[in-house]
Amino acid sequence: MNTRLVIIVGMVTVFAGVGIAYGINQYDYYQDQKQYEEWRDIRESILSEIRESKNRNQTIQTTDIGSMSDEERCAWTFDNSMNEFVREQEKYNDSRDTVSKPLSEDQIVSTSIQFAKWRGDGCAFSIPEWAHLSIYENWVWENIAPTFKIKGLHSRMVVNEPIFITIEKIGYHMCDSWDARIVDFKDNATIWKKTYHSGCVIADHTTPKLFQFTISNEIHPVVISTLGNYTFQIEIGHIFLKKDFTVIEYFEDIVMYEEWDK
C-alpha cells in the first residue's frame, strides 16, 4: 500500500513538474512573440516615417563621385546609406524567425553599419550645409541636424540686473562661430553686440552631445538700464534664433522665471 502511494505521489510530482515546465515554456514563447510584434511595429513605424520623408523624386545623379563637392558627396552618401538601411530593416519585418530590437531614431545614423562610410567621411559635422540636397531632407532636419536653444533669458527681465545668456546645442561639435545682438523695439537700434569666431578643431566623433555656448556671464554680463521691449538675436551654426523680452522695474510677486514665460 505504501509502495503504491509513493508511486502515485511520484507520478503526480512528475506530471506537475512537466506541466510547470510546459507552462513556463509557453509563457516564454508568448513573451517572445509579444516582443517580436512590438519591435516589428516600432520598426515599421520608423521605416514609414523615413519613407514618407522622401520629399524629392530623385537624388544627385552622377557616376563620378570625385567630381562632387563635399556637400554633394555627403548628401549622396547619406541617401544611399539610408536606402540600404531601409532595405536591411525590411528583411527583419519579413522574417518571423528573427527577433531583433530595432534602432531608435537617434541611433540609426550614429550606430548602424550602413552609415559607416558616411560617418567616416565626417559628414555629421556639416549637416546644415548639405541637408537640402538630400531626398531625406525632412528626416535629416527632424532627427540628426543640430538643435539650439536660448537659456537664461526670460520673457521679463529686471532693469539694471545682469543677464546671463547661454545657447544650448545638441550636435556633433561646438566649433560654431556666432554673432549676437540685442535690439530695442522702440527705434530698432542695436544696444548690445558680441561676436565670436571659432578656431577650434572638430573632434573625430559622430555621437550627438550637449554643448553650451556662453554668450554673457558674471564677468561680461548684459545689463540693460532702460525699461522697454527688446529682442535678442543670434546667428549660430547656420541657424538664426531670436527671443523677445521686456525689461521691467521690478517683479510685483516672487514668481519663478519659468512662470513668466508661460
Side-chain angles (χ1 to χ4, degrees):
M1 183 70 178
N2 290 338
T3 303
R4 181 179 301 175
L5 179 61
V6 170
I7 293 174
I8 293 173
V9 171
M11 292 178 62
V12 169
T13 302
V14 170
F15 286 131
V18 171
I20 292 173
Y22 176 78
I24 293 175
N25 189 50
Q26 286 295 103
Y27 177 78
D28 290 340
Y29 175 78
Y30 170 76
Q31 289 297 105
D32 288 343
Q33 287 296 107
K34 181 180 178 181
Q35 185 179 66
Y36 170 80
E37 295 294 334
E38 289 176 351
W39 287 354
R40 187 184 64 178
D41 291 344
I42 292 173
R43 180 177 288 109
E44 182 57 34
S45 176
I46 292 175
L47 294 182
S48 295
E49 180 182 344
I50 293 173
R51 295 188 197 100
E52 291 173 4
S53 71
K54 284 188 176 184
N55 62 334
R56 303 192 181 199
N57 293 327
Q58 59 182 9
T59 187
I60 301 169
Q61 298 296 324
T62 179
T63 56
D64 186 5
I65 300 178
S67 66
M68 294 181 183
S69 65
D70 290 341
E71 292 78 14
E72 290 173 333
R73 175 176 48 79
C74 282
W76 183 86
T77 305
F78 184 90
D79 291 348
N80 281 275
S81 299
M82 184 62 84
N83 290 338
E84 183 180 345
F85 173 83
V86 171
R87 286 193 296 270
E88 185 67 24
Q89 292 301 305
E90 285 174 339
K91 294 179 183 178
Y92 288 109
N93 281 357
D94 295 337
S95 174
R96 283 190 169 273
D97 297 330
T98 304
V99 180
S100 176
K101 186 175 182 179
L103 298 173
S104 60
E105 297 280 7
D106 60 348
Q107 293 175 316
I108 291 174
V109 173
S110 60
T111 64
S112 64
I113 190 172
Q114 289 81 13
F115 285 88
K117 175 172 172 38
W118 180 87
R119 293 192 297 267
D121 287 344
C123 295
F125 306 136
S126 59
I127 290 173
E129 299 171 16
W130 58 259
H132 65 285
L133 297 173
S134 171
I135 61 174
Y136 295 98
E137 180 181 3
N138 289 346
W139 192 92
V140 169
W141 286 120
E142 292 173 4
N143 294 281
I144 65 170
T147 58
F148 298 85
K149 182 183 295 185
I150 300 171
K151 305 289 289 186
L153 181 63
H154 309 281
S155 59
R156 297 190 184 187
M157 305 299 294
V158 176
V159 67
N160 291 322
E161 289 288 332
I163 302 174
F164 309 134
I165 305 173
T166 60
I167 302 295
E168 279 190 355
K169 172 186 178 180
I170 297 179
Y172 302 88
H173 62 80
M174 61 178 304
C175 293
D176 302 299
S177 299
W178 49 265
D179 185 353
R181 67 186 64 210
I182 294 178
V183 177
D184 189 341
F185 274 146
K186 181 175 61 178
D187 53 10
N188 201 36
T190 299
I191 65 167
W192 176 89
K193 182 178 181 180
K194 187 175 181 180
T195 301
Y196 173 77
H197 294 288
S198 173
C200 71
V201 176
I202 297 175
D204 185 18
H205 62 76
T206 54
T207 302
K209 293 180 174 62
L210 176 65
F211 302 99
Q212 286 193 332
F213 295 82
T214 299
I215 309 303
S216 65
N217 54 21
E218 294 86 349
I219 301 175
H220 300 290
V222 174
V223 178
I224 300 178
S225 56
T226 304
L227 304 180
N229 298 311
Y230 301 87
T231 181
F232 170 77
Q233 305 172 355
I234 184 169
E235 292 184 36
I236 179 171
H238 300 275
I239 301 296
F240 176 78
L241 303 174
K242 64 176 294 187
K243 183 174 180 63
D244 299 336
F245 64 99
T246 300
V247 174
I248 59 178
E249 189 171 359
Y250 57 87
F251 288 126
E252 296 179 356
D253 302 303
I254 300 176
V255 183
M256 293 296 291
Y257 275 121
E258 285 73 17
E259 295 186 15
W260 287 103
D261 291 331
K262 292 181 180 179

